Amino acid sequence: MNKIKELCSKINDTELEVCALIKLGLTTKEIAIATNSTYKAIESIKYRVRKKLNLDSGINLMLFFNEI
């Protein structure tokens, strides 16, 4: 979490929670169920995370988070 905040200080707690769940290997659908959100809401959060971290849409977030 600290490394992600170092990369982007503008990331909020909800986005950090989704990042942690992605790192654990959960799918978007599983994250939606775990956070009591909709699939579309999680997709939007993932999009915002990619934008804040300046990541291309082709980059796998789980692999990215496991590397840092």
Side-chain angles (χ1 to χ4, degrees):
M1 292 297 154
N2 291 332
K3 289 183 181 180
I4 295 171
K5 281 198 167 196
E6 288 174 12
L7 291 173
C8 179
S9 61
K10 295 181 181 181
I11 200 162
N12 65 35
D13 292 338
T14 304
E15 293 165 344
L16 276 176
E17 180 184 8
V18 170
C19 291
L21 294 172
I22 291 170
K23 184 174 174 100
L24 292 173
L26 272 65
T27 64
T28 303
K29 186 175 181 179
E30 292 169 333
I31 294 170
I33 292 168
T35 59
N36 198 24
S37 300
T38 64
Y39 182 87
K40 186 69 176 169
I42 301 303
E43 285 290 323
S44 295
I45 292 171
K46 288 170 67 175
Y47 173 79
R48 287 194 311 267
V49 167
R50 285 179 199 273
K51 192 166 184 159
K52 288 180 180 181
L53 295 174
N54 294 322
L55 298 176
D56 195 21
S57 62
I59 295 175
N60 185 321
L61 287 176
M62 185 172 66
L63 294 177
F64 175 79
F65 292 135
N66 285 330
E67 289 177 4
I68 59 170

